[in-house]
Amino acid sequence: MMGSLQTEIAQTRPDLLAPPVAKALAVWPPEGPIDADQVLVAPIDSGLADTAAFCEAYGVSLAESANCVIVAGSRGGVTKYAACIILATTRADVNGVVRRHLDVRKASFAPMDDAVSLTGMEYGGITPIGLPVDWPILVDSRVVATPHVIIGSGVRHSKIAIAGPALGALPGAEVIDGLAREVA
């Protein structure tokens, strides 16, 4: 349990998950760094889904809270998307590290409508579990160094608790030093 969250095994609560997240958990690889039953979910007040409000209300530190931000970049008329997993105490280096990784001229946060329609998840709840398989998942090394983190569940009315190292081992994930910078 983290903070005051009442966690349950995520697979037993599909009502607390976006459909792509539930589907990804159903086919969780047995060789993964953790078993699927170690991915936990907790209901929350959807009005408190934004990171700062959530952490304050549920007693979770910002250092234990991870955000999944969707970035879009284009080159030659082709748009590429990536998910960046960073701690809430940091900001993704979108126009440096992420832009170079995607090999695009300019990168920015994906428009909300695009992020929602392409992921099948709610804005403010997007998570790396269940994203489109062709998207890279860029994970800041600080996240995998954190024993357990809270991330979105694909919906705003719950959060997932998971081992930080497991996020770096998701299919399509790459752990990157310096993906994010500490917020001053």
Side-chain angles (χ1 to χ4, degrees), residues 35-125:
D35 293 333
D37 63 1
Q38 292 176 296
V39 179
L40 305 175
V41 69
I44 66 164
D45 178 333
S46 62
L48 298 171
D50 293 333
T51 304
F54 163 77
C55 287
E56 183 176 337
Y58 292 94
V60 174
S61 78
L62 289 172
E64 297 173 305
S65 184
N67 292 321
C68 178
V69 295
I70 305 301
V71 175
S74 60
R75 180 185 287 270
V78 175
T79 301
K80 297 179 182 180
Y81 293 91
C84 298
I85 314 307
I86 59 172
L87 292 178
T89 57
T90 65
R91 292 187 196 270
D93 183 5
V94 173
N95 277 308
V97 175
V98 177
R99 180 187 57 77
R100 286 190 300 276
H101 187 83
L102 290 177
D103 189 29
V104 294
R105 292 195 186 279
K106 183 180 180 201
S108 59
F109 296 110
M112 179 178 65
D113 290 345
D114 292 351
V116 169
S117 66
L118 294 171
T119 64
M121 300 180 201
E122 294 177 4
Y123 192 76

Side-chain angles (χ1 to χ4, degrees), residues 10-47:
Q11 287 183 308
T12 66
R13 293 297 309 269
D15 59 309
L16 294 177
L17 305 169
V21 178
K23 182 178 176 184
L25 287 173
V27 296
W28 192 263
E31 69 279 359
I34 61 172
D35 293 333
D37 63 1
Q38 292 176 296
V39 179
L40 305 175
V41 69
I44 66 164
D45 178 333
S46 62

